[in-house]
Amino acid sequence: MSTHARYQSPLTSRYASQEMAQNFSEDKRYSTWRKLWLNLAIAEKQLGLTDITDEAIQQMRDHLDDIDYETAAAEEKKRRHDVMAHVHTFGNIAPAAAPIIHLGATSCYVT
């Protein structure tokens, strides 16, 4: 298990089950953000936003779980915003979706 797949806390090592620790992990958090952005794009496409292509949606689907934490950390240092750092990190591996990831949403959408 990677260090990003398990929530890190003294409470975790003593009291939390493995499943609970994974539920609050970085992997779970950021893959959930990506699933939310995917579903937002699907809904916006269904509502008629023509900027959203099938290719963009497929690229998002293909990269829900492969999070590049080094790039995200560099983006967060540069942008000083965790959500936007992950938007740009996701856009790097799903370039067709980059312009529409998080389209019309605020940071509170995922947090």
Side-chain angles (χ1 to χ4, degrees):
M1 178 183 306
S2 79
T3 59
H4 298 290
R6 184 169 170 78
Y7 176 68
Q8 302 295 317
S9 163
L11 296 175
T12 310
S13 63
R14 292 183 190 142
Y15 307 112
S17 66
Q18 183 175 357
E19 295 81 10
M20 184 60 76
Q22 286 175 328
N23 196 45
F24 286 94
S25 71
E26 289 179 305
D27 280 349
K28 179 75 169 192
R29 177 183 200 153
Y30 300 125
S31 67
T32 299
W33 287 9
R34 289 180 178 198
K35 290 171 190 167
L36 287 165
W37 289 323
L38 169 63
N39 285 302
L40 176 63
I42 291 168
E44 289 172 333
K45 182 176 176 61
Q46 289 173 346
L47 290 171
L49 285 169
T50 58
D51 294 352
I52 301 172
T53 65
D54 291 335
E55 179 186 14
I57 289 172
Q58 188 58 51
Q59 284 183 6
M60 292 171 81
R61 265 194 192 106
D62 291 344
H63 298 287
L64 293 175
D65 297 313
D66 53 343
I67 299 156
D68 180 348
Y69 287 99
E70 286 184 31
T71 298
E75 287 288 344
E76 186 167 352
K77 186 174 182 178
K78 176 180 164 184
R79 298 177 189 287
R80 304 179 71 123
H81 195 286
D82 60 341
V83 175
M84 292 312 297
H86 280 273
V87 167
H88 287 272
T89 300
F90 195 17
N92 288 342
I93 58 171
I100 58 98
I101 295 170
H102 199 67
L103 180 66
T106 68
S107 297
C108 289
Y109 173 69
V110 293
T111 59

